[in-house]
Amino acid sequence: MQAPVAGSSSEGPAPPPPANGPSLAVIMQRPSFAKAFADMAGTSALPAWAKGSDASAPSARVQVDGKTMWLSHVCQAADCQGGQLFLLTDPAQHAMQALLVEASGGAGDSVRKLTWLGKPDASAQAFLKAQDV
């Protein structure tokens, strides 16, 4: 499986966290992480852009509920505003959880659909929602 493509936020450039973790492409080369991605609840329904392409942008090392994790942000290559994936990787547990954000409609009347992947707890959900600004 190849990793998704990297991109930017849908409503203007929010300052990204410092990029001090491995790229998603590097993360996905490890069999345990590729399996964690494939086993995340909801990945079978991901759009094609979120399942394949290049993801060479570095992840950010972040703290979520006292745990150090890697945050990867990927988006639909042709329409980053239309589809984004925020992926948290726990390097200690070899686990992943994510938020898929899909938008439809025009800029003024856009409808945003949020889909949770894996089983993020309340802290992870709040953190991931905060990334979609």
Side-chain angles (χ1 to χ4, degrees):
M1 165 195 278
Q2 291 200 358
V5 77
S8 63
S9 175
S10 68
E11 294 183 30
N20 54 9
S23 70
L24 187 54
V26 169
I27 292 168
M28 295 300 281
Q29 287 177 357
R30 294 196 52 191
S32 60
F33 290 124
K35 182 177 179 351
F37 184 84
D39 290 347
M40 244 187 333
T43 55
S44 62
L46 280 174
W49 64 262
K51 292 181 181 179
S53 294
D54 177 45
S56 58
S59 62
R61 190 169 301 213
V62 296
Q63 291 288 316
V64 180
D65 203 22
K67 291 182 181 179
T68 299
M69 296 188 174
W70 299 322
L71 173 66
S72 301
H73 175 232
V74 296
C75 68
Q76 187 172 352
D79 182 17
C80 195
Q81 294 180 1
Q84 299 183 79
L85 181 69
F86 298 94
L87 179 71
L88 277 176
T89 301
D90 183 338
Q93 300 295 319
H94 292 246
M96 293 181 170
Q97 49 202 337
L99 172 61
L100 174 66
V101 180
E102 297 173 288
S104 60
D109 59 349
S110 178
V111 175
R112 300 178 73 69
K113 177 184 172 191
L114 305 180
T115 303
W116 297 107
L117 304 165
K119 297 180 181 172
D121 61 19
S123 297
Q125 286 185 8
F127 179 85
L128 288 167
K129 275 186 180 178
Q131 303 313 302
D132 180 40
V133 291

